[in-house]
């Protein structure tokens, strides 16, 4: 209750009378919410070599909506990380020899268990990262879909028989697992990021060590519990939770240990660069899914209803805290005023701030007060340079933020230069297609991009010209296990999901058979 005490009960009670959304945020912080999850899934120890292990100390996991402590989790350090790597390396010697069908069956069992326990997993996600329960249920379904997908892809890892240049030779290209993979995941989609990476790795025949985000270890440990129930062998899947203070030392082990062959990281571009430097000394294979700064372009020819619906879906999931959230809204002059008006109306009608466990909540808190302060800074900077606040604009209690709509935004403002990770919609007016593309492509990152148009020729031009790894054409939600996920420029390396996702955990071995009789 430290956050509540710091704000003061009297102040909160005054805010309760000030009306929504401040009232909902205040109520969320005053009330005590109880996490009701089946005992086997609420794990608080690390998971190494098929055993639940305690560390010398523990760190608190807090509900970002209230500041209340949910649980205390074992604070693993470099020693536990090394034990996990060693266990994974030992397990790899037998796991790599398992058949594709055996791996497929186990992943399918894990998938079935996720769906069976979807309500409990969703509650863990909501209490850890603050997102509404409906979104958390959607994340669990999305998480499970990767296990289903890679259970199927495990049986489709094909090599090649290549026509040889000589009659006495045969050329075979064989795909083999790289080895132990270190997987470092973010807090905003804790379950989905793990299954997307671990599903691919295990399907390929790799073993893994997962370091979950400091804010969201409980959902990762619940996944480990279900993996154990599914029969995934000891050492194949290991989870090493740790505090923010121990993250650098644990990360160093996972990125430098010579027994680790591959690292997969989702997080900020700045952190990704640090991890790549650490991995370079042993030339590890690396996948990096880093920062985004997604443009959302609305051309004059767009279907206005669809564009507004797409903007709402793309921007306000998890209160704007996803790497593929739209960050810069570029709207052509002919439709600008109507789009802004309709978007404001949709925000009023559809968005409700509150604790994620409340059934009407669509907007939970940001992950911490620092995240809220960043959004406030971007709003203040924009207003100081002439932007108009049409909706919201205020920080509420703790890390709650009002969903905010800004008009008359320019490319000189912070909100158009850096990723927000919050419920802020800055709208820039443009006149020509060339102008929009220049603004959209000016960023040094390129993860996702979205645009709305009914001009077929324009659709092809813009889709090809946008410098991003994923494009939503008249669509605001594009993630699916069947499609590749990843970016260009400083948004990262490699692809996750799709048939290409498993390739990130495979090496191609060339085998030349010579001296054969024709």
């Amino acid at each position: 209750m430290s956050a509540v005490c710091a704000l003061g009960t009297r102040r909160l009670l005054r805010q309760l009378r000030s009306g929504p959304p401040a009232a909902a945020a205040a109520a969320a912080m005053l009330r005590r919410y109880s996490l009701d999850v089946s005992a086997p899934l609420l794990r608080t120890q690390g998971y190494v070599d098929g055993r639940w292990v305690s560390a010398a100390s523990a760190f608190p996991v807090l509900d970002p909506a209230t500041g209340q402590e949910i649980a205390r989790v074992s604070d693993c350090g470099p020693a536990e990380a090394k034990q996990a790597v060693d266990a994974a390396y030992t397990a790899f010697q037998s796991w790599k020899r398992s058949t594709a069908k055996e791996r497929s069956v186990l992943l399918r069992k894990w998938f079935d268990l996720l769906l069976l326990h979807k309500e409990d997993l969703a509650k863990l996600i909501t209490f850890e990262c603050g997102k509404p329960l409906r979104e958390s249920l959607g994340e669990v379904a999305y998480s499970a879909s990767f296990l289903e997908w890679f259970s199927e892809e495990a049986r489709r890892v094909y090599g090649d028989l290549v026509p040889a240049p000589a009659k006495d030779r045969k050329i075979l290209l064989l795909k083999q697992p790289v080895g132990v993979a270190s997987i470092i995941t973010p807090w905003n989609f804790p379950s989905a990021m793990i299954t997307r990476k671990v599903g691919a790795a295990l399907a390929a025949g790799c073993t893994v060590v997962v370091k979950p985000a400091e804010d969201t270890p409980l959902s990762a440990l619940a996944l480990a519990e279900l993996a154990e129930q599914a029969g995934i062998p000891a050492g194949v899947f290991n989870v090493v939770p740790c505090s923010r203070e121990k993250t650098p030392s644990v990360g160093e082990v996972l990125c430098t240990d010579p027994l680790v062959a591959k690292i997969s990281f989702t997080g900020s571009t700045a952190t990704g660069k640090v991890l790549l430097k650490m991995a370079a000394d042993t030339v590890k294979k690396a996948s990096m899914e880093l920062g985004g700064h997604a443009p959302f372009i609305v051309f004059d020819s767009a279907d206005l209803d669809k564009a507004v619906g797409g903007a709402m879906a793309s921007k306000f999931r998890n209160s704007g805290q996803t790497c593929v959230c739209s960050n810069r809204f570029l709207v052509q002059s002919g439709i600008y005023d109507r789009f802004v008006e309709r978007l404001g109306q949709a925000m009023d009608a559809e968005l409700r701030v509150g604790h994620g466990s409340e059934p009407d909540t669509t907007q939970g808190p940001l992950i911490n007060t620092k995240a809220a302060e960043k959004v406030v800074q971007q709003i203040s900077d924009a207003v100081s340079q002439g932007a108009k606040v049409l909706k919201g604009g205020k920080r509420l209690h703790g890390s709650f933020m009002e969903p905010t709509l800004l008009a008359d935004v320019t490319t000189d403002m912070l909100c158009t230069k850096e990723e927000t990770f919050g419920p802020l919609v800055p709208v820039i007016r443009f006149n020509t297609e060339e102008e929009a593309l220049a603004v959209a492509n000016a960023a040094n990152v390129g993860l996702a991009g979205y645009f709305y148009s009914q001009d077929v020729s324009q659709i092809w031009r813009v889709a090809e010209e946008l410098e991003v790894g994923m494009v939503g054409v008249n669509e605001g939600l594009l993630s699916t296990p069947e499609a590749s996920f990843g970016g260009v420029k400083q948004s990262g390396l490699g692809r996750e999901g799709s048939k290409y996702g498993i390739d990130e955990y495979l090496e191609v071995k060339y085998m030349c058979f010579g001296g054969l009789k024709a």
Side-chain angles (χ1 to χ4, degrees), residues 12-28:
L12 286 173
L13 288 171
R14 286 197 301 269
Q15 289 290 344
L16 278 170
R17 293 187 287 268
S18 67

Side-chain angles (χ1 to χ4, degrees), residues 58 69 71 105 117 132 136 158 163 175 231 259 280 292 298 337 356 367-368 437 466 495:
E69 184 176 300
V105 167
H117 295 279
S136 295
Y158 303 130
K175 292 184 179 180
L259 297 183
V298 184
D337 292 335
I367 191 63
N368 53 40
L437 284 168
L466 277 176
R495 291 295 180 268

Side-chain angles (χ1 to χ4, degrees), residues 442-478:
N444 62 3
V445 293
L447 187 57
Y450 310 85
F451 71 93
Y452 280 72
S453 170
Q454 296 185 89
D455 180 334
V456 175
S457 296
Q458 183 177 61
I459 285 172
W460 279 110
R461 287 195 306 270
V462 174
E464 291 184 351
E465 290 297 321
L466 277 176
E467 296 172 357
V468 295
M470 298 175 282
V471 181
V473 183
N474 297 320
E475 179 56 63
L477 297 175
L478 43 68

Side-chain angles (χ1 to χ4, degrees), residues 416-453:
T416 63
K417 292 181 177 180
E418 60 184 30
E419 189 174 22
T420 302
F421 243 60
L424 172 61
V425 181
V427 189
I428 303 169
R429 187 190 301 266
F430 73 89
N431 294 312
T432 67
E433 178 184 309
E434 292 74 19
E435 181 187 350
L437 284 168
V439 173
N441 291 337
N444 62 3
V445 293
L447 187 57
Y450 310 85
F451 71 93
Y452 280 72
S453 170

Side-chain angles (χ1 to χ4, degrees), residues 365-380:
L366 301 193
I367 191 63
N368 53 40
T369 55
K370 185 178 179 181
E373 289 164 1
K374 179 180 181 180
V375 180
V376 169
Q377 180 189 17
Q378 289 192 358
I379 294 170
S380 298

Side-chain angles (χ1 to χ4, degrees), residues 352-400:
R352 297 290 181 270
V353 176
H355 193 284
S357 64
E358 297 286 353
D360 293 336
T361 295
T362 67
Q363 302 293 285
L366 301 193
I367 191 63
N368 53 40
T369 55
K370 185 178 179 181
E373 289 164 1
K374 179 180 181 180
V375 180
V376 169
Q377 180 189 17
Q378 289 192 358
I379 294 170
S380 298
D381 170 79
V383 171
S384 72
Q385 296 189 61
K388 293 184 177 65
V389 178
L390 302 184
K391 296 290 176 186
K394 297 177 183 176
R395 177 180 170 185
L396 305 172
H397 296 291
S399 59
F400 283 95

Side-chain angles (χ1 to χ4, degrees), residues 59-77:
F59 66 99
V61 179
L62 305 179
D63 179 345
T66 64
Q68 297 168 8
E69 184 176 300
I70 305 168
R72 297 189 69 81
V73 174
S74 291
D75 194 2
C76 297

